[in-house]
Structure formats: structure tokens, C-alpha cells
Amino acid sequence: MAHRRGRAGIGALAKKGETSKFSKKAEEIKTTSLQSAMETVKKLEVKLTEFAKTHHEAIASDPAFRHKFLSMCAPLGVDPLTTKKSFWSFLKMGDFYHELAVKVAEVCYAYRSRNGGIMPIHEVQKVLMTRGTKFRLNNMTTKYSEDDIIIAIEKLKKLGSGFRTIHVGGTRMVVSVPTELDNDHMQVIQLAQDISGGITIDMVEDITGWNSDRVRRAMDLLLAEGMAWLDKYEGLEFYWFPSVWKGTLST
């Protein structure tokens, strides 16, 4: 019996040795793969740098091209907006988005009393264009797209100022107040957007299947924040949402 236990012990040691070899080999492969991945990223960064130098005028003047360039940077962890001291400072993109963020904030604050701090991105862009607001990027006057405005809002968001973007149906909106909107609030706003007019408590109940208390909770917050207006007409209460009115905010 002792002889059998000895053989079993030798087998266990052999298996342990094999496991150790496999673990060591796995670590070697892991290290090699990591080094290879880092070298690949560095090569891609060099290519990206060359691309930026070659196409810096297109990046500055064409919003669609600029957005695609930033989309190329993101997976590599490259952010041309972050610092003036980095190589990417020659693009001056950080200054451009900072200036755009300031102007976007000005528009949102100016219209907050009308819409309660929620405004479609395309309306923000329309107001800026109506005002004749112009920006320069890399010493060139440049156009700005909704994508540019969204990136500018992300810069504001990092300051903890309450700015953020949300989707209401197929519309991207900017929220400029710290109020948290849940799915019920979003659904009510989307309903008003779909109807393109005033909505009542009964209408929301019929379409969503919610009970009266749930609808009123959503309406009360939107009303308190100024995102909805209440209008009483012939005994009925209509809730209106300035943020989804068509063509009324650009004046």
C-alpha cells in the first residue's frame, strides 16, 4: 500500500510540474500579446498623427470629416481636445470646443425660462446660426454640426454643471438643469412631441396605460421645472412642452 501511495505522489508532482509549465507559458503568451498590442497601438498613433498633419485643413473646415477623425481617435485613447501642451495642440480643437461650449451654454441659459432647461440640439444650432455666431479652428472660420455641439456639451458635463444630452424619440436634446428625468418623464415628453400639441392627463393615461397618480407625478415635476406649461381651457387642463414646439425658438 505504501508503494502505491509513493507512485501516486510522484504522479501528483509530475502533474503539478506540468501545470506550472502551462501557467508559465500562458504568462509568456499574455506578455507577448500585450507587447504586440502596445506596438500596434503606437504604430496606429503614428499613422493617425500623419493623417492629422495631412488633413488638418479638412479637419478644421468640415464638421463631418472632423467627427470621423475624432471617431478614429477614440478607440486608441487619443483625445486631441484634452491639453494645449500635447502634440495635438497644433489642431487647436480644444479651444474650438471650449468656445462652442460657452456659446451653447449662453443659448441654453437664455431660453431656460421658455423651455425649463430642455432644448433640441438642432434648435441650439439654429439659434447660433441666426445670431451669426462664428468660430475659428486652426486659423480658419469653420462650420459647426450637431455632433460638434454634442461634444461641446460633454465638456460642460465634465464641469458638473447639469448639462447633458438625452434622446426623446428620434430627437437629441440638451438638458441644462441638474434635474434627473426618469423614463416616465421622457415618455411624456416624447408623447407631446408625437402629438405636436397640448396633452391632457387622460390622454397620457389612455396611451400609456398608467394610472392617474403615475401620470400626475411625472407631470408635476415637469411643470415645477418649467419644462411643461399648464393651460386651462373649457374645464380641461392641457400641458404644453415648449421644447418640442416646431420652429418657435430661433427668434
Side-chain angles (χ1 to χ4, degrees):
M1 294 295 292
H3 178 67
R4 288 180 183 178
R5 281 197 297 270
R7 290 182 62 185
I10 292 172
L13 288 173
K15 287 182 179 179
K16 185 176 180 180
E18 289 177 2
T19 301
S20 178
K21 288 180 181 178
F22 282 130
S23 298
K24 186 177 180 181
K25 189 63 178 177
E27 285 298 320
E28 290 176 358
I29 293 173
K30 184 177 179 180
T31 301
T32 302
S33 298
L34 180 59
Q35 290 175 343
S36 177
M38 291 176 66
E39 289 174 2
T40 300
V41 169
K42 288 180 180 179
K43 289 178 181 178
L44 289 172
E45 286 181 352
V46 171
K47 292 290 184 182
L48 194 60
T49 301
E50 294 172 354
F51 180 88
K53 286 181 177 179
T54 303
H55 300 285
H56 67 278
E57 289 188 0
I59 292 170
S61 61
D62 186 343
F65 193 92
R66 181 164 56 245
H67 183 64
K68 288 180 180 178
F69 171 69
L70 291 175
S71 298
M72 291 165 57
C73 293
L76 299 177
V78 174
D79 186 0
L81 282 60
T82 51
T83 174
K84 294 181 179 180
K85 295 181 180 180
S86 72
F87 163 79
W88 298 99
S89 61
F90 83 94
L91 290 173
K92 299 182 180 178
M93 295 182 74
D95 292 340
F96 163 69
Y97 283 110
H98 174 76
E99 292 174 14
L100 181 57
V102 170
K103 294 300 181 182
V104 167
E106 287 178 359
V107 171
C108 291
Y109 289 141
Y111 285 86
R112 186 181 285 180
S113 62
R114 298 193 196 184
N115 55 37
I118 180 170
M119 188 173 183
I121 297 291
H122 64 83
E123 288 289 353
V124 175
Q125 184 183 26
K126 187 186 296 184
V127 171
L128 289 172
M129 293 177 68
T130 301
R131 290 180 174 181
T133 306
K134 295 182 179 180
F135 299 93
R136 295 185 67 80
L137 176 54
N138 202 15
N139 298 319
M140 298 174 63
T141 300
T142 184
K143 297 178 181 178
Y144 43 93
S145 65
E146 290 187 28
D147 287 325
D148 286 325
I149 292 174
I150 290 169
I151 292 172
I153 292 168
E154 285 299 311
K155 291 180 71 69
L156 292 170
K157 181 180 178 180
K158 292 177 181 178
L159 299 177
S161 53
F163 279 85
R164 61 198 184 279
T165 58
I166 59 173
H167 278 99
V168 177
T171 303
R172 193 75 175 263
M173 295 192 171
V174 54
V175 179
S176 58
V177 291
T179 305
E180 289 297 327
L181 301 177
D182 62 23
N183 290 332
D184 285 3
H185 304 127
M186 303 286 285
Q187 196 165 339
V188 168
I189 297 172
Q190 183 177 343
L191 179 58
Q193 183 182 52
D194 294 341
I195 292 175
S196 298
I199 59 176
T200 66
I201 297 292
D202 289 341
M203 289 169 63
V204 178
E205 287 181 24
D206 291 341
I207 294 173
T208 63
W210 301 345
N211 60 39
S212 178
D213 288 342
R214 182 175 177 180
V215 177
R216 288 194 178 279
R217 277 197 301 271
M219 291 295 200
D220 286 348
L221 182 137
L222 295 170
L223 200 61
E225 293 296 328
M227 296 180 183
W229 295 352
L230 179 61
D231 179 37
K232 296 182 180 181
Y233 178 73
E234 295 185 352
L236 293 176
E237 293 184 343
F238 287 89
Y239 293 82
W240 298 83
F241 294 79
S243 60
V244 299
W245 289 352
K246 305 296 182 183
T248 60
L249 296 176
S250 57
T251 56

